[in-house]
Structures are given as C-alpha cells and as structure tokens.
Amino acid sequence: MRRLFAVLAILPVGWSWAQAEPGLHWRTASPDNTPWSASIAREVQEFAAEQKPAAIMVVRDDDIVASFGDLGAKVNVRSVRKSLLSALYGIAIEDGRINLDSTLAALEIDDVPRALSAAEKSATVRQLLMARSGVYHPASYETGQMKQGRPVRESHPPGSFWYYNNWDFNALGTIYRQSVDDVFASFEKQIGRPIGMEDFSAADGVYVKEASSSHPAYVFRMSARDLARFGLLFLNGGRWNGAQLIPSKWVTDSTSRFSDAEQPGRGYGYLWWTFSSERSRLSGFFASGYGGQQMVVVPSKHLVFVELVDLAVNREGVRTQRFLDLVGKISASVP
C-alpha cells in the first residue's frame, strides 16, 4: 500500500494524527471510502466558477478529495514565500547556523540611506520572524497598501508592535543567505526533493531588488500539488517518510499565535498566519499571498487546502476571507 502510517514520537501540543504521504504522484480519494467527497467537489466547482482561481486542491492525508484547474501549473505564490522561508529557518536554527536572539547589529545588517539607527539594529531575528522588528525602512516588493500603512521610523521599539512588514521578511532572506546558503537551492535540497515535489526546482525562484532597499524579496513560483505537499509536511509535524525534515518544535512554535492581526480571528506566528473559527470550532494555520495564493492546514480534520490564482488572467484575484470561508464550510462537513 502506498499510504504510510507512523506514530510520531513527539507531537505538537494538542495535535494528533496518523502520518500519511503521497507517493510519486497524488491519487484521488475513493468515493467508496469518502462518500462525503462528492458534495465537497461540488462546493469547489461552484467556488471556482465564481472566483476563477487557477487551481484548488482539497487534500486529506495523502489523497486529493477535490480539485480544480491545472495542479501542475506554476504560479508566483507571493507572500506564501514567507512561510516557505520559515521552514528553512527552523532547520537552520536547529543546526545552530542561526540564533533567534542575534541582533541586526551583531549580524551586520543595515540598509541604504537613511541607514538603520542603533535602536533599530537592536531588533532580533526572533522579532523579525514575528513581524515585530520596529524597523520601518522602505522595502522591496511592497504593495501600495503596505507603503501607505508603514509606521514612521522609530515610532515603536523593537518587539513592542506587530506590523506586517516586508522589510522584516526580506531582511530574513538576507540573513539566511549570509548565514546558510541560497534560499532557493536550500529549499529544493532540504524540502522540495525529500518530500517529492514534482514541479519545483531552485530555478523557479528569483530575487527581486528595488532601489528603496538593499534586501531583495525572494519570489517563489510553485504548483498547487507541490504546495500541498509542503502543507502536508507541516500537518505531519515536519516528518516525511520517517525522517524529521523540520524540527517538530519549530512546526509547533512557528504556527503558534504570538500576535493578533488586524483582521478579526487571525493571528501571526513565525511567518505563518493562524486562524480560528468559533462557528466551525476549527483551528489551524495558513500561508497567504497577495491576490489569493493560499495554503491552509486544518490539523483536527487532517486537511490541507491550496488555492492559486494567476493574476495575469484574474486581475482582481480572490479575497483571503472568501477562501477561508470555503475552508470552514468544507472542514465542517468532513467527519
């Protein structure tokens, strides 16, 4: 049998599941074993007809319950990139290559004029991961909304205020490259290949630098089926085929709610969003990117959801909450 089950030696607090992984290719769930999948497939098709994503996947353990679109087509996953980097940080911290409490000053991280102040350089790696650095320098790859909402420089001391800050996220990319290796090569070697990603390679990553900052954004192109494998890796507590690829403690810590976000019911961990829905009594975490790039994990139901949107085709994209509503509805219907 291709379905693999193993009991994890160490489970994140409050989570319990049997580990399951797809083989070389994903397979579709059998209607005999999942009689509720037909209604989920209808929900997905109706959603897709209205919202026009490029691809959707609903995965339970190692089976595709429902899907839409070209699951192998690669799309710029936008800010999902941050959760991908978080996984690499978990490995690097475990290996002693990066210290969560290292300051920007100790790491010799600065930026183009106006350069960082001594107070800004006192921010730590941990605070950057939490989007609490207090460094409000202009950043590459910012949206117009980010630029308009950016706080005034030195208006909040490091650690005191949560702000979804591309400067933090991009500087983390620089720190990783200086301390470990190229972001994309590392992701392919340490995560992509071991979990059997079918489409991603390091060549699907590109650094985007702007004159406003010396720290480029690290942009990933990825397919829905590969992103679903990444979600399943986190659902499995960082284990794959018997190997602990990402430390289980990092899986727990990075997807924990450290800060409340501006949107009701959402929080932020280490480059991961968290959400909870009292209506459906579900909790989980997700990676989210501009325009509707989403990967959601609902541990209590063994579910992973992926949505990708080609913004060259669907210029308006899909609102995050619209997809999360679909996630809640489907999750509530799964036994």
Side-chain angles (χ1 to χ4, degrees):
M1 293 180 64
R2 191 172 55 80
R3 186 186 295 259
L4 302 176
F5 294 96
V7 178
L8 297 184
I10 301 176
L11 290 175
V13 176
W15 296 3
S16 177
W17 57 80
Q19 184 175 329
E21 302 139 4
L24 184 61
H25 304 291
W26 288 94
R27 72 177 182 183
T28 302
S30 167
D32 294 336
N33 297 328
T34 55
W36 32 266
S37 63
S39 62
I40 293 174
R42 287 193 296 271
E43 292 280 356
V44 167
Q45 294 299 320
E46 290 172 5
F47 179 91
E50 178 184 344
Q51 300 295 320
K52 297 178 174 55
I56 292 178
M57 288 181 73
V58 180
V59 170
R60 195 183 198 201
D61 292 327
D62 58 348
D63 289 337
I64 299 174
V65 175
S67 66
F68 167 84
D70 184 350
L71 305 184
K74 288 180 276 194
V75 171
N76 179 350
V77 296
R78 308 284 172 161
S79 288
V80 170
R81 69 189 177 96
K82 297 154 190 175
S83 301
L84 303 178
L85 182 66
S86 177
L88 290 178
Y89 260 78
I91 299 169
I93 290 165
E94 175 80 0
D95 291 344
R97 306 289 293 275
I98 296 177
N99 188 321
L100 280 172
D101 297 316
S102 293
T103 65
L104 296 178
L107 294 167
E108 299 183 347
I109 296 295
D110 207 331
D111 212 324
V112 298
R114 182 166 57 98
L116 302 190
S117 68
E120 289 172 322
K121 288 183 179 180
S122 71
T124 65
V125 171
R126 187 191 308 273
Q127 289 164 344
L128 268 66
L129 287 163
M130 298 170 72
R132 284 182 167 270
S133 75
V135 179
Y136 306 124
H137 190 288
S140 300
Y141 219 54
E142 289 183 303
T143 64
Q145 185 177 9
M146 284 178 168
K147 292 177 182 178
Q148 292 173 6
R150 188 193 310 120
V152 176
R153 294 279 295 271
E154 298 190 75
S155 57
H156 301 284
S160 68
F161 183 75
W162 182 84
Y163 170 68
Y164 189 73
N165 189 359
N166 257 24
W167 193 91
D168 292 6
F169 310 139
N170 295 345
L172 285 167
T174 298
I175 293 168
Y176 187 87
R177 294 197 311 278
Q178 292 181 355
S179 303
V180 185
D181 199 355
D182 176 75
V183 170
F184 308 115
S186 292
F187 190 87
E188 180 184 5
K189 178 181 178 180
Q190 298 190 63
I191 297 176
R193 290 180 198 163
I195 68 175
M197 285 188 172
E198 299 177 60
D199 309 301
F200 178 80
S201 73
D204 293 311
V206 62
Y207 295 103
V208 178
K209 186 176 180 181
E210 299 175 11
S212 60
S213 175
S214 59
H215 305 293
Y218 38 92
V219 178
F220 282 77
R221 288 179 57 83
M222 192 168 288
S223 67
R225 62 192 180 191
D226 282 353
L227 191 54
R229 285 179 185 264
F230 180 72
L232 188 57
L233 174 64
F234 268 71
L235 178 63
N236 284 341
R239 286 181 69 84
W240 197 276
N241 197 25
Q244 191 73 46
L245 301 182
I246 302 171
S248 61
K249 186 178 185 301
W250 185 259
V251 173
T252 302
D253 290 350
S254 63
T255 60
S256 295
R257 187 190 193 103
F258 296 130
S259 305
D260 289 330
E262 295 175 354
Q263 303 88 340
R266 298 186 202 172
Y268 207 69
Y270 291 149
L271 306 185
W272 282 94
W273 294 92
T274 68
F275 78 94
S276 61
S277 172
E278 294 180 359
R279 182 182 62 182
S280 61
R281 298 182 181 178
L282 293 174
S283 63
F285 52 91
F286 63 104
S288 181
Y290 176 79
Q293 324 309 329
Q294 311 290 342
M295 193 283 295
V296 184
V297 179
V298 181
S300 63
K301 296 296 183 78
H302 298 212
L303 290 170
V304 174
F305 299 80
V306 173
E307 174 190 58
L308 294 182
V309 179
D310 185 346
L311 294 175
V313 176
N314 180 354
R315 295 182 181 275
E316 295 184 0
V318 179
R319 292 182 58 197
T320 297
Q321 189 57 52
R322 188 70 181 85
F323 187 66
L324 292 182
D325 288 342
L326 177 69
V327 168
K329 187 174 183 180
I330 289 176
S331 298
S333 71
V334 174

Short mmCIF file of all heavy atoms in Angstrom, two decimals, residues 79-84 86 126-132 146 162-166 168-169 172 218 252-263 265-275 284-288:
data_model
loop_
_atom_site.label_atom_id
_atom_site.label_comp_id
_atom_site.label_asym_id
_atom_site.label_seq_id
_atom_site.Cartn_x
_atom_site.Cartn_y
_atom_site.Cartn_z
N SER A 79 3.30 36.18 -1.09
CA SER A 79 3.76 36.16 0.30
C SER A 79 3.71 34.78 0.96
O SER A 79 4.15 34.64 2.10
CB SER A 79 2.96 37.16 1.14
OG SER A 79 3.34 38.48 0.81
N VAL A 80 3.23 33.77 0.26
CA VAL A 80 3.40 32.40 0.75
C VAL A 80 4.88 32.11 0.92
O VAL A 80 5.29 31.27 1.74
CB VAL A 80 2.73 31.40 -0.22
CG1 VAL A 80 3.09 29.95 0.13
CG2 VAL A 80 1.21 31.57 -0.20
N ARG A 81 5.71 32.85 0.17
CA ARG A 81 7.17 32.69 0.25
C ARG A 81 7.69 32.79 1.68
O ARG A 81 8.68 32.16 2.03
CB ARG A 81 7.85 33.77 -0.62
CG ARG A 81 7.70 35.19 -0.08
CD ARG A 81 8.19 36.24 -1.08
NE ARG A 81 8.01 37.61 -0.60
CZ ARG A 81 8.93 38.34 0.00
NH1 ARG A 81 10.13 37.82 0.23
NH2 ARG A 81 8.68 39.57 0.38
N LYS A 82 7.00 33.57 2.51
CA LYS A 82 7.47 33.82 3.87
C LYS A 82 7.35 32.56 4.72
O LYS A 82 8.25 32.25 5.52
CB LYS A 82 6.71 35.00 4.46
CG LYS A 82 6.97 36.27 3.67
CD LYS A 82 5.87 37.30 3.76
CE LYS A 82 6.11 38.42 2.75
NZ LYS A 82 5.00 39.40 2.70
N SER A 83 6.27 31.81 4.55
CA SER A 83 6.12 30.56 5.29
C SER A 83 7.09 29.50 4.79
O SER A 83 7.56 28.66 5.56
CB SER A 83 4.67 30.06 5.18
OG SER A 83 3.77 31.03 5.68
N LEU A 84 7.42 29.55 3.49
CA LEU A 84 8.43 28.63 2.95
C LEU A 84 9.78 28.91 3.60
O LEU A 84 10.52 27.99 3.97
CB LEU A 84 8.51 28.77 1.43
CG LEU A 84 7.22 28.55 0.63
CD1 LEU A 84 7.46 28.77 -0.85
CD2 LEU A 84 6.64 27.17 0.88
N SER A 86 10.21 30.30 6.52
CA SER A 86 10.12 29.93 7.93
C SER A 86 10.57 28.49 8.15
O SER A 86 11.26 28.18 9.12
CB SER A 86 8.68 30.11 8.44
OG SER A 86 8.56 29.69 9.78
N ARG A 126 14.33 36.79 16.04
CA ARG A 126 13.03 36.37 16.53
C ARG A 126 11.97 37.45 16.25
O ARG A 126 10.86 37.15 15.82
CB ARG A 126 13.09 36.08 18.03
CG ARG A 126 11.80 35.48 18.60
CD ARG A 126 11.83 35.47 20.13
NE ARG A 126 13.03 34.85 20.66
CZ ARG A 126 13.17 33.54 20.88
NH1 ARG A 126 12.15 32.73 20.63
NH2 ARG A 126 14.29 33.05 21.39
N GLN A 127 12.33 38.70 16.50
CA GLN A 127 11.39 39.79 16.29
C GLN A 127 11.07 39.99 14.82
O GLN A 127 9.93 40.32 14.45
CB GLN A 127 11.93 41.07 16.92
CG GLN A 127 11.91 41.02 18.44
CD GLN A 127 12.77 42.08 19.11
OE1 GLN A 127 13.63 42.70 18.47
NE2 GLN A 127 12.56 42.29 20.40
N LEU A 128 12.04 39.76 13.95
CA LEU A 128 11.77 39.82 12.51
C LEU A 128 10.81 38.71 12.10
O LEU A 128 9.88 38.93 11.31
CB LEU A 128 13.07 39.71 11.71
CG LEU A 128 13.77 41.03 11.33
CD1 LEU A 128 14.28 41.75 12.56
CD2 LEU A 128 14.91 40.78 10.35
N LEU A 129 11.03 37.51 12.61
CA LEU A 129 10.14 36.39 12.28
C LEU A 129 8.71 36.65 12.74
O LEU A 129 7.76 36.16 12.13
CB LEU A 129 10.67 35.11 12.93
CG LEU A 129 11.93 34.49 12.31
CD1 LEU A 129 12.56 33.50 13.27
CD2 LEU A 129 11.60 33.82 10.98
N MET A 130 8.56 37.41 13.82
CA MET A 130 7.24 37.72 14.36
C MET A 130 6.64 38.99 13.75
O MET A 130 5.52 39.36 14.09
CB MET A 130 7.35 37.91 15.88
CG MET A 130 7.80 36.68 16.63
SD MET A 130 8.19 37.04 18.37
CE MET A 130 6.56 37.31 19.03
N ALA A 131 7.38 39.64 12.83
CA ALA A 131 6.96 40.93 12.26
C ALA A 131 6.83 41.98 13.35
O ALA A 131 5.91 42.79 13.36
CB ALA A 131 5.66 40.79 11.47
N ARG A 132 7.79 41.99 14.27
CA ARG A 132 7.81 42.93 15.39
C ARG A 132 9.17 43.63 15.53
O ARG A 132 9.58 44.00 16.62
CB ARG A 132 7.49 42.19 16.70
CG ARG A 132 6.03 41.84 16.89
CD ARG A 132 5.78 41.15 18.21
NE ARG A 132 4.36 41.09 18.53
CZ ARG A 132 3.68 42.00 19.21
NH1 ARG A 132 4.32 43.08 19.66
NH2 ARG A 132 2.40 41.88 19.45
N MET A 146 0.88 48.52 1.74
CA MET A 146 1.99 48.42 2.69
C MET A 146 2.71 49.75 2.81
O MET A 146 3.05 50.19 3.92
CB MET A 146 2.97 47.34 2.23
CG MET A 146 2.54 45.91 2.46
SD MET A 146 3.79 44.77 1.80
CE MET A 146 3.22 43.23 2.53
N TRP A 162 3.15 44.85 16.45
CA TRP A 162 3.07 43.97 15.28
C TRP A 162 2.67 44.77 14.05
O TRP A 162 1.70 45.52 14.08
CB TRP A 162 2.06 42.85 15.51
CG TRP A 162 1.99 41.89 14.34
CD1 TRP A 162 2.81 40.84 14.10
CD2 TRP A 162 1.08 41.94 13.24
NE1 TRP A 162 2.48 40.21 12.92
CE2 TRP A 162 1.40 40.88 12.37
CE3 TRP A 162 0.01 42.78 12.89
CZ2 TRP A 162 0.71 40.62 11.19
CZ3 TRP A 162 -0.68 42.53 11.70
CH2 TRP A 162 -0.33 41.46 10.86
N TYR A 163 3.44 44.59 13.00
CA TYR A 163 3.11 45.21 11.71
C TYR A 163 3.61 44.29 10.61
O TYR A 163 4.78 43.88 10.61
CB TYR A 163 3.76 46.60 11.58
CG TYR A 163 3.64 47.17 10.20
CD1 TYR A 163 2.40 47.56 9.68
CD2 TYR A 163 4.77 47.31 9.38
CE1 TYR A 163 2.29 48.07 8.39
CE2 TYR A 163 4.67 47.82 8.09
CZ TYR A 163 3.42 48.19 7.61
OH TYR A 163 3.31 48.68 6.33
N TYR A 164 2.73 43.95 9.68
CA TYR A 164 3.08 43.05 8.58
C TYR A 164 4.06 43.77 7.65
O TYR A 164 3.66 44.56 6.80
CB TYR A 164 1.82 42.62 7.84
CG TYR A 164 2.04 41.53 6.83
CD1 TYR A 164 2.28 40.22 7.24
CD2 TYR A 164 2.01 41.80 5.46
CE1 TYR A 164 2.47 39.21 6.31
CE2 TYR A 164 2.20 40.80 4.53
CZ TYR A 164 2.44 39.52 4.95
OH TYR A 164 2.64 38.51 4.03
N ASN A 165 5.34 43.46 7.82
CA ASN A 165 6.42 44.32 7.37
C ASN A 165 7.34 43.61 6.39
O ASN A 165 8.13 42.74 6.77
CB ASN A 165 7.22 44.78 8.61
CG ASN A 165 8.22 45.85 8.30
OD1 ASN A 165 8.38 46.27 7.16
ND2 ASN A 165 8.92 46.30 9.33
N ASN A 166 7.29 44.00 5.13
CA ASN A 166 8.15 43.35 4.14
C ASN A 166 9.63 43.58 4.42
O ASN A 166 10.47 42.79 3.99
CB ASN A 166 7.80 43.84 2.73
CG ASN A 166 6.99 42.82 1.95
OD1 ASN A 166 6.32 41.98 2.55
ND2 ASN A 166 7.05 42.88 0.64
N ASP A 168 11.09 43.31 7.33
CA ASP A 168 11.45 42.18 8.19
C ASP A 168 11.64 40.92 7.36
O ASP A 168 12.63 40.19 7.49
CB ASP A 168 10.35 41.91 9.23
CG ASP A 168 10.24 43.01 10.27
OD1 ASP A 168 10.93 44.04 10.14
OD2 ASP A 168 9.45 42.83 11.21
N PHE A 169 10.68 40.65 6.49
CA PHE A 169 10.67 39.40 5.74
C PHE A 169 11.84 39.34 4.76
O PHE A 169 12.47 38.29 4.59
CB PHE A 169 9.34 39.26 5.00
CG PHE A 169 8.13 39.48 5.87
CD1 PHE A 169 7.05 40.20 5.42
CD2 PHE A 169 8.09 38.96 7.16
CE1 PHE A 169 5.93 40.40 6.22
CE2 PHE A 169 6.97 39.16 7.97
CZ PHE A 169 5.89 39.89 7.49
N LEU A 172 15.20 38.90 6.54
CA LEU A 172 15.38 37.50 6.93
C LEU A 172 15.97 36.68 5.79
O LEU A 172 16.77 35.77 6.02
CB LEU A 172 14.04 36.89 7.37
CG LEU A 172 13.53 37.33 8.74
CD1 LEU A 172 12.08 36.92 8.93
CD2 LEU A 172 14.39 36.72 9.86
N TYR A 218 12.49 37.36 -2.06
CA TYR A 218 12.80 36.03 -2.61
C TYR A 218 11.47 35.45 -3.11
O TYR A 218 10.63 35.02 -2.35
CB TYR A 218 13.44 35.13 -1.55
CG TYR A 218 12.83 35.33 -0.18
CD1 TYR A 218 11.77 34.54 0.25
CD2 TYR A 218 13.26 36.36 0.66
CE1 TYR A 218 11.17 34.76 1.50
CE2 TYR A 218 12.68 36.58 1.89
CZ TYR A 218 11.63 35.78 2.30
OH TYR A 218 11.03 36.01 3.51
N THR A 252 5.46 23.48 15.71
CA THR A 252 4.53 23.98 16.74
C THR A 252 4.73 25.47 16.99
O THR A 252 3.77 26.25 16.99
CB THR A 252 4.74 23.22 18.06
OG1 THR A 252 4.54 21.83 17.83
CG2 THR A 252 3.76 23.70 19.11
N ASP A 253 5.98 25.87 17.21
CA ASP A 253 6.25 27.26 17.56
C ASP A 253 5.90 28.21 16.42
O ASP A 253 5.28 29.26 16.64
CB ASP A 253 7.73 27.44 17.92
CG ASP A 253 8.09 26.78 19.25
OD1 ASP A 253 7.17 26.36 19.97
OD2 ASP A 253 9.30 26.68 19.54
N SER A 254 6.32 27.88 15.22
CA SER A 254 6.14 28.82 14.10
C SER A 254 4.68 29.02 13.73
O SER A 254 4.31 30.07 13.20
CB SER A 254 6.94 28.35 12.87
OG SER A 254 6.46 27.12 12.39
N THR A 255 3.85 28.04 14.03
CA THR A 255 2.42 28.14 13.70
C THR A 255 1.58 28.50 14.92
O THR A 255 0.36 28.35 14.90
CB THR A 255 1.91 26.83 13.07
OG1 THR A 255 2.10 25.75 13.99
CG2 THR A 255 2.65 26.51 11.78
N SER A 256 2.23 28.96 15.98
CA SER A 256 1.52 29.42 17.18
C SER A 256 1.20 30.91 17.05
O SER A 256 1.91 31.65 16.37
CB SER A 256 2.35 29.18 18.43
OG SER A 256 2.55 27.79 18.66
N ARG A 257 0.18 31.34 17.73
CA ARG A 257 -0.27 32.72 17.65
C ARG A 257 0.50 33.58 18.66
O ARG A 257 0.27 33.52 19.85
CB ARG A 257 -1.77 32.75 17.96
CG ARG A 257 -2.46 34.08 17.78
CD ARG A 257 -3.88 34.00 18.37
NE ARG A 257 -4.71 35.10 17.98
CZ ARG A 257 -5.66 35.02 17.04
NH1 ARG A 257 -5.88 33.88 16.42
NH2 ARG A 257 -6.40 36.08 16.75
N PHE A 258 1.44 34.39 18.16
CA PHE A 258 2.20 35.30 19.01
C PHE A 258 1.62 36.70 19.03
O PHE A 258 1.83 37.46 19.97
CB PHE A 258 3.66 35.37 18.55
CG PHE A 258 4.40 34.07 18.67
CD1 PHE A 258 5.11 33.56 17.60
CD2 PHE A 258 4.38 33.35 19.85
CE1 PHE A 258 5.81 32.37 17.71
CE2 PHE A 258 5.07 32.15 19.97
CZ PHE A 258 5.78 31.66 18.89
N SER A 259 0.94 37.07 17.94
CA SER A 259 0.39 38.41 17.81
C SER A 259 -1.01 38.34 17.23
O SER A 259 -1.31 37.44 16.43
CB SER A 259 1.26 39.28 16.89
OG SER A 259 2.60 39.30 17.32
N ASP A 260 -1.85 39.28 17.61
CA ASP A 260 -3.15 39.43 16.98
C ASP A 260 -2.98 40.29 15.73
O ASP A 260 -2.34 41.33 15.77
CB ASP A 260 -4.15 40.10 17.92
CG ASP A 260 -4.57 39.19 19.06
OD1 ASP A 260 -4.58 37.96 18.86
OD2 ASP A 260 -4.86 39.69 20.15
N ALA A 261 -3.56 39.83 14.63
CA ALA A 261 -3.51 40.61 13.39
C ALA A 261 -4.67 41.60 13.35
O ALA A 261 -5.56 41.58 14.20
CB ALA A 261 -3.56 39.66 12.20
N GLU A 262 -4.64 42.46 12.35
CA GLU A 262 -5.69 43.45 12.23
C GLU A 262 -7.04 42.82 11.89
O GLU A 262 -8.08 43.31 12.30
CB GLU A 262 -5.32 44.46 11.13
CG GLU A 262 -4.08 45.28 11.47
CD GLU A 262 -3.67 46.18 10.33
OE1 GLU A 262 -4.29 46.08 9.24
OE2 GLU A 262 -2.74 46.99 10.50
N GLN A 263 -7.02 41.71 11.15
CA GLN A 263 -8.26 41.06 10.77
C GLN A 263 -8.79 40.24 11.95
O GLN A 263 -8.04 39.47 12.57
CB GLN A 263 -8.04 40.13 9.57
CG GLN A 263 -7.47 40.84 8.35
CD GLN A 263 -5.96 40.88 8.33
OE1 GLN A 263 -5.30 40.73 9.37
NE2 GLN A 263 -5.39 41.08 7.16
N GLY A 265 -10.05 37.44 14.32
CA GLY A 265 -9.90 36.00 14.29
C GLY A 265 -8.60 35.48 13.72
O GLY A 265 -8.37 34.28 13.67
N ARG A 266 -7.70 36.39 13.30
CA ARG A 266 -6.43 35.96 12.74
C ARG A 266 -5.27 36.40 13.64
O ARG A 266 -5.34 37.41 14.32
CB ARG A 266 -6.21 36.55 11.34
CG ARG A 266 -7.24 36.10 10.32
CD ARG A 266 -6.88 36.60 8.96
NE ARG A 266 -8.06 36.65 8.08
CZ ARG A 266 -8.08 37.19 6.89
NH1 ARG A 266 -6.97 37.73 6.40
NH2 ARG A 266 -9.18 37.21 6.17
N GLY A 267 -4.23 35.60 13.62
CA GLY A 267 -3.03 35.92 14.38
C GLY A 267 -1.81 35.66 13.53
O GLY A 267 -1.90 35.28 12.36
N TYR A 268 -0.63 35.84 14.13
CA TYR A 268 0.62 35.65 13.40
C TYR A 268 1.63 34.96 14.28
O TYR A 268 1.75 35.25 15.48
CB TYR A 268 1.18 37.00 12.93
CG TYR A 268 2.04 36.90 11.70
CD1 TYR A 268 1.48 36.58 10.46
CD2 TYR A 268 3.41 37.11 11.76
CE1 TYR A 268 2.26 36.48 9.32
CE2 TYR A 268 4.21 37.03 10.63
CZ TYR A 268 3.63 36.70 9.41
OH TYR A 268 4.40 36.60 8.28
N GLY A 269 2.37 34.00 13.69
CA GLY A 269 3.41 33.28 14.39
C GLY A 269 4.78 33.68 13.87
O GLY A 269 5.11 34.86 13.82
N TYR A 270 5.60 32.70 13.47
CA TYR A 270 6.87 32.98 12.82
C TYR A 270 6.67 32.82 11.31
O TYR A 270 6.84 31.74 10.74
CB TYR A 270 7.96 32.00 13.27
CG TYR A 270 8.43 32.14 14.70
CD1 TYR A 270 8.87 31.03 15.41
CD2 TYR A 270 8.47 33.38 15.35
CE1 TYR A 270 9.34 31.13 16.72
CE2 TYR A 270 8.93 33.49 16.66
CZ TYR A 270 9.35 32.36 17.33
OH TYR A 270 9.80 32.47 18.63
N LEU A 271 6.25 33.88 10.65
CA LEU A 271 6.00 33.91 9.21
C LEU A 271 4.83 33.01 8.79
O LEU A 271 4.71 32.65 7.62
CB LEU A 271 7.26 33.53 8.41
CG LEU A 271 8.52 34.33 8.70
CD1 LEU A 271 9.65 33.92 7.75
CD2 LEU A 271 8.28 35.83 8.61
N TRP A 272 3.98 32.65 9.72
CA TRP A 272 2.75 31.90 9.45
C TRP A 272 1.56 32.67 10.03
O TRP A 272 1.66 33.24 11.12
CB TRP A 272 2.77 30.52 10.11
CG TRP A 272 3.57 29.47 9.41
CD1 TRP A 272 4.87 29.12 9.65
CD2 TRP A 272 3.12 28.59 8.38
NE1 TRP A 272 5.26 28.10 8.84
CE2 TRP A 272 4.21 27.74 8.05
CE3 TRP A 272 1.90 28.43 7.70
CZ2 TRP A 272 4.11 26.75 7.06
CZ3 TRP A 272 1.81 27.44 6.74
CH2 TRP A 272 2.90 26.62 6.41
N TRP A 273 0.44 32.64 9.32
CA TRP A 273 -0.82 33.15 9.84
C TRP A 273 -1.52 32.05 10.62
O TRP A 273 -1.38 30.86 10.30
CB TRP A 273 -1.74 33.60 8.71
CG TRP A 273 -1.25 34.77 7.94
CD1 TRP A 273 -0.49 34.75 6.80
CD2 TRP A 273 -1.47 36.15 8.24
NE1 TRP A 273 -0.22 36.02 6.37
CE2 TRP A 273 -0.82 36.91 7.23
CE3 TRP A 273 -2.16 36.82 9.24
CZ2 TRP A 273 -0.83 38.30 7.20
CZ3 TRP A 273 -2.18 38.21 9.22
CH2 TRP A 273 -1.53 38.94 8.22
N THR A 274 -2.26 32.44 11.63
CA THR A 274 -3.11 31.49 12.34
C THR A 274 -4.55 31.98 12.25
O THR A 274 -4.80 33.17 12.04
CB THR A 274 -2.72 31.37 13.83
OG1 THR A 274 -3.01 32.60 14.51
CG2 THR A 274 -1.24 31.05 13.98
N PHE A 275 -5.48 31.06 12.36
CA PHE A 275 -6.87 31.45 12.38
C PHE A 275 -7.65 30.49 13.25
O PHE A 275 -7.25 29.36 13.49
CB PHE A 275 -7.48 31.49 10.98
CG PHE A 275 -7.84 30.15 10.41
CD1 PHE A 275 -9.11 29.63 10.55
CD2 PHE A 275 -6.89 29.40 9.73
CE1 PHE A 275 -9.44 28.40 10.02
CE2 PHE A 275 -7.22 28.15 9.20
CZ PHE A 275 -8.50 27.65 9.35
N GLY A 284 -6.38 26.32 13.00
CA GLY A 284 -5.34 25.90 12.08
C GLY A 284 -4.41 27.05 11.77
O GLY A 284 -4.36 28.04 12.50
N PHE A 285 -3.68 26.92 10.67
CA PHE A 285 -2.72 27.94 10.29
C PHE A 285 -2.63 27.97 8.78
O PHE A 285 -3.04 27.02 8.09
CB PHE A 285 -1.35 27.66 10.91
CG PHE A 285 -0.82 26.27 10.68
CD1 PHE A 285 -0.02 26.00 9.59
CD2 PHE A 285 -1.13 25.24 11.55
CE1 PHE A 285 0.48 24.71 9.36
CE2 PHE A 285 -0.62 23.96 11.35
CZ PHE A 285 0.17 23.70 10.25
N PHE A 286 -2.13 29.09 8.26
CA PHE A 286 -2.09 29.18 6.81
C PHE A 286 -1.00 30.12 6.32
O PHE A 286 -0.54 31.02 7.04
CB PHE A 286 -3.45 29.58 6.23
CG PHE A 286 -3.97 30.94 6.64
CD1 PHE A 286 -3.92 32.01 5.76
CD2 PHE A 286 -4.55 31.14 7.89
CE1 PHE A 286 -4.42 33.25 6.11
CE2 PHE A 286 -5.06 32.37 8.25
CZ PHE A 286 -5.00 33.44 7.36
N ALA A 287 -0.58 29.87 5.08
CA ALA A 287 0.33 30.75 4.35
C ALA A 287 -0.52 31.50 3.34
O ALA A 287 -1.37 30.90 2.68
CB ALA A 287 1.41 29.92 3.65
N SER A 288 -0.27 32.80 3.21
CA SER A 288 -1.17 33.62 2.40
C SER A 288 -0.38 34.61 1.58
O SER A 288 0.55 35.24 2.06
CB SER A 288 -2.15 34.37 3.32
OG SER A 288 -3.06 35.15 2.57
#
